[in-house]
Amino acid sequence: MNLILLIDILGTIAFAISGVLTALNKRLDPFGILIIAFVTAVGGGTLRDVLIDANVAWMRNLTFVYVIFCSTIFAVVFRKRLGYIRRSLFLFDTIGIALYTIVGVEKGIAAGFHPIICVALGTMTACFGGVLRDILCNEIPIIFRKEIYATACILGASAYFLLHFTPISEDFIVIISGSIVIIVRLFAVYFNLSLPSIYRKDELENR
């Protein structure tokens, strides 16, 4: 198993669990939980593969389907051991975007795209599964709010692309890039950092 495939599977696990936790919080039935887990895990990657005219990964490799199914069962059975839903959701979501950012950039590099497109693919892969999850669960997607979410992916993706052309080993590049995404996201939440608001105070008060 190559490194990128391993990262892809780990990201699938993290996002599937993230989807399950959101679905549980909305009190969905078992079928709804499985659908949300599946969409969260493969939504971003599917969109990426369609845009770059590549084979959709989970349709060619059923390992991803099995991983999502097993992750869903695991998260449902051990949901109480995962601790507080909100905290666990944040943890798995953050791990997921870090791993999927790397996969998306690598796919772009392998396809020979421009650096900006590679970074966009990494960000899209990481974020759009969560966007679909939140929309289906009647939530405003995090990426559309002022929270630092996509920004963390962009920074990690940029770092991965730049480091890819250095003598640094692939393992260290993955660790460094993924850590950037996670650290930026954690710092943003811990210190309550956000993107600047374009709305005046009276506009916010009149919502």
Side-chain angles (χ1 to χ4, degrees), residues 95-164:
I95 294 172
I97 63 172
L99 295 171
Y100 268 12
T101 296
I102 294 168
V103 173
V105 178
E106 178 59 33
K107 293 273 188 177
I109 293 174
F113 287 112
H114 186 278
I116 294 177
I117 303 301
C118 291
V119 172
L121 288 173
T123 304
M124 181 187 302
T125 305
C127 296
F128 273 78
V131 169
L132 293 174
R133 174 199 65 206
D134 293 341
I135 290 174
L136 290 174
C137 291
N138 199 29
E139 297 279 351
I140 298 176
I142 296 175
I143 190 176
F144 298 148
R145 292 179 241 164
K146 62 180 183 178
E147 290 188 31
I148 294 179
Y149 190 85
T151 306
C153 299
I154 292 171
L155 293 174
S158 300
Y160 183 88
F161 187 88
L162 293 174
L163 293 172
H164 185 78

Side-chain angles (χ1 to χ4, degrees), residues 55-84:
N55 292 325
V56 178
W58 63 269
M59 296 179 71
R60 292 286 183 175
N61 187 351
L62 286 181
T63 298
F64 293 102
V65 176
Y66 301 144
V67 166
I68 294 170
F69 188 75
C70 292
S71 299
T72 300
I73 294 175
F74 172 84
V76 170
V77 172
F78 296 101
R79 60 185 181 277
K80 291 186 178 180
R81 291 178 177 267
L82 291 175
Y84 296 104

Side-chain angles (χ1 to χ4, degrees), residues 11-92:
T12 300
I13 294 171
F15 264 141
I17 294 176
S18 168
V20 170
L21 294 175
T22 300
L24 289 171
N25 195 39
K26 292 293 182 176
R27 300 296 187 267
L28 301 187
D29 65 17
F31 181 73
I33 292 171
L34 180 60
I35 292 299
I36 296 300
F38 193 88
V39 168
T40 306
V42 302
T46 299
L47 179 59
R48 175 203 64 220
D49 291 341
V50 169
L51 288 176
I52 66 176
D53 197 26
N55 292 325
V56 178
W58 63 269
M59 296 179 71
R60 292 286 183 175
N61 187 351
L62 286 181
T63 298
F64 293 102
V65 176
Y66 301 144
V67 166
I68 294 170
F69 188 75
C70 292
S71 299
T72 300
I73 294 175
F74 172 84
V76 170
V77 172
F78 296 101
R79 60 185 181 277
K80 291 186 178 180
R81 291 178 177 267
L82 291 175
Y84 296 104
I85 293 287
R86 185 176 296 274
R87 185 176 300 174
S88 298
L89 174 59
F90 172 77
L91 173 63
F92 286 105

